Amino acid sequence: MISKESVAGGLALLAMVGCGGLLDRPEAASGPAAAGAKRPKNVVFIVIDTLRADAMSLARTPNLRKLKAQGQSPALAWSGATWTVPSVISMFTGAPVRAHGWDFPFPRFMDMSKETYAPAPALPMLAEVLKGAGYHTVSFHNNSMLNQGLGLDRGFDAWNPTGDRNLARKLGEEVDEWDDPGDLTGRPNFVYVHLLGPHHPLRPSPKACRRWGIRPKQVAQTRGLHIEDAQQGDEDDQDLYRRGYYASVEDTDRVLGAVLEALGEHRENSLVVLTSDHGELLGEHGLVGHEQWVFEPLTRVPLIVTGTDLTLPPIMNNTMIPDLVTQSLGIDHDWPVKLNDPLPLVAQRQGKVALSPDGKIKGIWDDEAFGAGFSSFDISQSTAEDAPLARLPFPHADAKLRMSRGAWALRVPGRRLAPVGKAMTDELQEALEALGYMGAEDPLPTEPGEAAEPEGAEAADGG
Ligand SMILES: [Zn+2]
């Protein structure tokens, strides 16, 4: 249904986006979390790159499970995009890809001779809003795509590329500088933690290799398990990569445990939000990786929240996270997407759209996969997306999807960013080559294993 409210909201958003007028600084505490609610003091926002929603149950992940048991999770959460840059922009700005407009192809598919990157749009970002409210804002992140001059560091007092294995220690050093945990009136802190986690190339530890039937020597000899081998190989290659993925999830869970441990007593007065920027295909539809698709293994991500008095809605886009954070803190800010917006779940990728109004039926607009128009699936029972609903006996599903997409398009004005004159830098090209994105040999600097990274090791790269 297109309600008067949604039209008014759409027009209001249009006005704000069109004028670049979302730059207001937060004002005095107000909103639903006010009125005597116990508010968290600090905010810890953790993104584990490339983490499928089902990884938590398919791999041994005691720290993820414990965090989930301590907090809340919606029954279903989606990322707003299926690769790092547009997804992180959505999680920082509270704007769907359609509204922020950064929907460029993955670097491998860009024409390297042309200008490729546009800056992030002039929408206020979570760190800017929190900094404006008096927060000390710091990141520890491990994905070089975040360091390409896209403006993702806006609002951060310190923006620190940090390898996964050093991250907990560096976070601990940061937390040591915070006011005493019992001092609730001192300077509040916002930390953004972005682990590369199970992003390729996979270098699972010997311990995780043993659990998943992988010979550690095999990983050492090939300097990691490479996604290209799984994409170009047979089912055995895909199976090896799948096991390597879950082994890497288990290593990442141990890193997560150390990250949470590093917060010490500050955990008790912190809002902790954990999610992923997108999932990963591990053989579904014959595909491996997170390239140009919007299938369920890519759109469905974990979302865990501890330390808020708010009650999460049953289905959430992680684009709602900025509003979740500021509402939990009692900071008034008008994000493009709000926690309780009656918007459908939406994920986008290079013009392709996945949309679900209720978390049960899902429409995919993807000419490449399904031809013109859209295909509808029942994702409440199975995430296989291998049997499109027939027009009969489900005509209502298609009508519902069509109407939902129309209402969404009205509510969320489209924006298209033009590429700007900023060529791919040598530094980024080298970083992408190191990942195999550019088809070069893989000069990875570290061996797999559980030894700590050498001091000063550069953060890894990813998409
Ligand atoms: Zn990513």
Side-chain angles (χ1 to χ4, degrees), residues 58-179:
L58 294 175
R60 184 184 286 174
T61 56
N63 293 299
L64 276 164
R65 289 173 195 228
K66 187 174 171 190
L67 188 68
K68 186 174 181 181
Q70 292 167 341
Q72 302 178 58
S73 289
L76 174 63
W78 274 15
S79 57
T82 61
W83 78 284
T84 307
V85 174
S87 182
V88 170
I89 293 175
S90 285
M91 291 191 286
F92 279 8
T93 61
V97 172
R98 178 176 163 83
H100 68 58
W102 206 104
D103 196 20
F104 297 107
F106 202 69
R108 194 201 307 190
F109 303 113
M110 291 178 176
D111 180 348
M112 305 311 295
S113 64
K114 301 272 173 62
E115 296 83 7
T116 48
Y117 289 100
L123 294 169
M125 294 191 175
L126 182 58
E128 291 178 292
V129 171
L130 295 181
K131 187 174 170 62
Y135 276 68
H136 176 57
T137 52
V138 176
S139 87
F140 296 97
H141 60 275
N142 187 14
N143 187 316
S144 77
M145 295 307 298
L146 305 182
N147 302 328
Q148 304 307 326
L150 302 174
L152 295 171
D153 57 345
R154 278 169 24 205
F156 282 94
D157 294 317
W159 180 252
N160 301 308
T162 309
D164 281 13
R165 288 174 190 152
N166 285 325
L167 203 145
R169 179 177 57 75
K170 291 191 175 176
L171 175 63
E173 290 167 3
E174 162 68 23
V175 167
D176 283 346
E177 301 294 314
W178 292 4
D179 295 332

Side-chain angles (χ1 to χ4, degrees), residues 49-50 82-85 88 143 194 196 199 276-278 290 462-463:
D49 214 292
T50 321
T82 61
W83 78 284
T84 307
V85 174
V88 170
N143 187 316
H194 189 126
L196 197 63
H199 189 288
S276 181
D277 54 348
H278 52 82
H290 52 275

Side-chain angles (χ1 to χ4, degrees), residues 293-318:
W293 312 101
V294 288
F295 292 121
E296 208 58 6
L298 294 171
T299 58
R300 192 175 285 229
V301 290
L303 179 54
I304 304 172
V305 184
T306 69
T308 183
D309 278 354
L310 302 177
T311 301
L312 301 187
I315 62 171
M316 287 180 70
N317 247 125
N318 61 17

